[in-house]
Amino acid sequence: MDKGYLLAGSFLVPMYYYGYGGPADQAKAIALAKQLVGMGPQPTSFLATAYYFGVAGEPKDPKKACDLAGQSRVYAQGMAIYALCLLDGHLPGGRAQGYAWLLKAAAGGNDLAKSLAPEWEKRLAKEEIDEAKRLLPNLK
């Protein structure tokens, strides 16, 4: 960032990305996140999102996305992308663990996780869902 506070920039990333308080501008969010990556989980998690889905002019790169999501999974957006990395088989750990992370992100108020959790619940076996619920309280 050329001027301003890092903390303010960190708050702006999700606001631009999702359009909280104004129109969404994912390109602006990701450009700002690139300047702030490594300075906290929030901007890092949105850069992971861009690489995972290939948005804001970024190429789809699950390997890079999953690495960044692993670094930022203390923040709900990072949890959501980390969950997708597990669910889609880009990281070891299995679908039950991935679904547990998705539930944790949804419980933390993450819009992406809240929208994806019902879809994934339909795709998973009952045993995977039960295992995810068992794992959920101990995720770190």
Side-chain angles (χ1 to χ4, degrees):
M1 288 180 52
D2 293 339
K3 54 187 173 180
Y5 295 99
L6 294 176
L7 183 60
S10 189
F11 287 127
L12 287 173
V13 172
M15 293 175 76
Y16 289 145
Y17 193 89
Y18 285 119
Y20 300 143
D25 188 340
Q26 291 178 333
K28 192 172 189 177
I30 298 311
L32 183 56
K34 283 182 172 181
Q35 295 176 43
L36 298 170
V37 74
M39 295 184 193
Q42 195 161 334
T44 303
S45 68
F46 280 91
L47 190 55
T49 304
Y51 287 129
Y52 196 83
F53 292 111
V55 297
E58 297 301 324
K60 235 180 179 181
D61 188 340
K63 183 177 180 342
K64 192 180 283 189
C66 295
D67 179 52
L68 291 169
Q71 296 172 38
S72 61
R73 68 183 187 201
V74 298
Y75 179 68
Q77 185 76 16
M79 283 180 211
I81 300 302
Y82 186 73
L84 291 174
C85 290
L86 291 163
L87 286 161
D88 289 335
H90 298 295
L91 290 175
R95 294 176 0 147
Q97 185 180 16
Y99 188 60
W101 280 102
L102 193 64
L103 292 175
K104 184 172 182 170
N110 180 263
D111 292 334
L112 175 63
K114 289 191 296 188
S115 71
L116 292 175
E119 174 191 328
W120 272 101
E121 186 165 356
K122 292 175 192 170
R123 295 169 65 180
L124 297 171
K126 181 185 180 326
E127 296 78 22
E128 291 173 309
I129 293 168
D130 291 344
E131 177 68 7
K133 290 177 180 176
R134 187 188 68 72
L135 293 170
L136 184 59
N138 298 313
L139 293 178
K140 292 189 184 355

